[in-house]
Amino acid sequence: MRAARLIKMVLLLQARPSMTAAELAAELEVSERTITRDAQALSEAGVPVYADRGRTGGYRLVGGYRTRLTGLGRSEAEALFLSGVPGALREMGLADAASAARLKVSAALMPSLRDASQNASQRFHLDAPGWFKETPAPELLPAVADAVWDDRCVTARYRRQEAEVERELEPYGLVLKAGVWYLCARVPDSGAYRVYRIDRFTAVEAGEERFVRDEEFDLPGFWEERAAQFARAILRAEVVVRLSEAGVRQLPYATDRVVAREGMESAGEPDAAGRVTVTLPVENEDVAYTQLMALGPEVEVLEPLSLRARFADAAARTAALYR
């Protein structure tokens, strides 16, 4: 642990002209006293660390010293490509590897380019989860991520409805969708690729055996296909509605955007009142009720009659509140 911290300290000083003890302590998550001891240890080991005294003082490397410890390890190189998603890195247990990789890259750059990482981080940030919901990282995510990176077969227990099943899996890839983690894996017995929600795993055990990855497997393409299949599979019912101009504009924000777009593409011309009749596929009547209620008076439900009756009742009760 200390050796890794000393290396990181050298890389930090190599990437910047000078750093105070407080700045180093914050970066390395130790006390300033530990920084003093580490600086002395580096000096005794032949690394020319010099401490300037005074209010504007700090630690720096003397004489243009350059460490040769800038070669990236495999985990660091892989984590570097994910450095734009810091939250995901933390949840997978790769934050330290990404930090070390960024420092090594920064140390290898010319001084005039060392602010590139800071410039990029201040100009782009990815916040994947949706608004108003905080999805905790699955407890078993780091173990699954380790198996994915190492191509190791796993034995996983998985909650499926009321039962719990056990599967031997070849973990191919991870997907973070709207704050929820999924595992795309191949089932060795059948050779089929399947998708599992990681928060439904109750146990994951990685074995020593490594699987041979199918080089033709395309994770983004596979996920896009399965996501589209899932979206279509849950739309088992239809509703017919009349929308005002405002309702047409608001529809993509109340329902699935693809469903809204396709519904409008197949809609006819506006009637005399300027309303458009649209047929929309929906998951079920309850979901349709919740989604379409957001449109208020900009939508009129025509079919099914049971849903129309629910809207009429809701409208009457709402009117009574404001009478």
Side-chain angles (χ1 to χ4, degrees):
M1 178 69 75
R2 190 189 185 198
R5 188 176 71 242
L6 292 175
I7 292 172
K8 189 172 182 179
M9 183 174 176
V10 173
L11 292 172
L12 284 168
L13 293 174
Q14 185 171 307
R16 307 179 193 181
S18 177
M19 293 185 70
T20 66
E23 289 171 338
L24 285 167
E27 287 278 359
L28 300 175
E29 298 180 351
V30 294
S31 66
E32 293 186 31
R33 181 172 295 182
T34 298
I35 294 298
T36 302
R37 289 197 297 264
D38 285 353
Q40 183 177 351
L42 287 171
S43 181
E44 292 173 353
V47 178
V49 177
Y50 179 77
D52 287 320
R53 306 294 180 184
R55 182 180 301 177
T56 60
Y59 291 94
R60 61 186 177 88
L61 295 175
V62 180
Y65 177 83
R66 306 284 295 176
T67 177
R68 296 183 179 180
L69 298 173
T70 53
L72 293 178
R74 171 171 289 275
S75 63
E76 294 167 347
E78 291 169 338
L80 185 61
F81 287 100
L82 294 171
S83 57
V85 281
L89 283 168
R90 286 194 300 271
E91 293 178 2
M92 289 190 291
L94 293 173
D96 288 343
S99 175
R102 286 192 295 270
L103 281 171
K104 289 182 177 182
V105 170
S106 179
L109 293 173
M110 294 185 297
S112 61
L113 298 177
R114 286 179 188 161
D115 63 347
S117 174
Q118 177 71 7
N119 286 345
S121 66
Q122 293 305 316
R123 287 164 173 78
F124 175 76
H125 175 70
L126 176 64
D127 186 8
W131 287 103
F132 311 120
K133 57 169 80 169
E134 185 175 340
T135 307
E139 184 178 343
L140 295 174
L141 176 60
V144 176
D146 284 344
V148 169
W149 290 117
D150 211 20
D151 291 342
R152 289 191 181 275
C153 299
V154 300
T155 302
R157 294 192 64 80
Y158 184 82
R159 291 193 306 273
R160 190 172 65 185
Q161 296 178 348
E162 302 300 322
E164 193 172 278
V165 297
E166 186 172 286
R167 290 283 185 270
E168 301 293 327
L169 300 174
E170 296 175 353
Y172 265 63
L174 295 168
V175 175
L176 177 60
K177 170 71 171 179
V180 179
W181 284 94
Y182 296 88
L183 172 67
C184 300
R186 183 168 64 183
V187 181
D189 292 342
S190 63
Y193 291 95
R194 295 179 181 171
V195 177
Y196 300 87
R197 274 186 62 145
I198 294 180
D199 59 7
R200 291 179 182 167
F201 284 127
T202 59
V204 173
E205 183 177 349
E208 295 298 322
E209 180 184 358
R210 286 185 170 86
F211 62 90
V212 178
R213 182 177 287 268
D214 182 355
E215 296 300 329
E216 295 184 0
F217 179 79
D218 174 31
L219 179 60
F222 171 77
W223 176 259
E224 183 178 3
E225 179 184 347
R226 288 303 174 91
Q229 290 177 359
F230 173 76
R232 294 295 180 190
I234 64 173
L235 302 178
R236 301 186 181 93
E238 283 187 346
V239 298
V240 182
V241 298
R242 291 175 71 232
L243 297 167
S244 67
E245 291 185 12
V248 170
R249 293 194 299 269
Q250 296 169 18
L251 184 64
Y253 303 99
T255 64
D256 180 82
R257 289 179 178 271
V258 175
V259 168
R261 185 184 70 244
E262 293 180 354
M264 292 308 305
E265 288 175 351
S266 61
E269 295 297 320
D271 59 20
R275 289 185 172 252
V276 179
T277 300
V278 182
T279 300
L280 298 172
V282 294
E283 186 173 347
N284 55 53
E285 187 173 306
D286 289 335
V287 172
Y289 177 79
T290 301
Q291 292 178 335
L292 295 175
M293 277 293 289
L295 299 181
E298 309 306 328
V299 63
E300 177 190 359
V301 175
L302 302 179
E303 297 178 12
L305 295 180
S306 56
L307 182 60
R308 180 179 175 86
R310 290 177 66 176
F311 269 76
D313 176 66
R317 287 187 287 114
T318 302
L321 289 175
Y322 290 94
R323 190 170 294 141

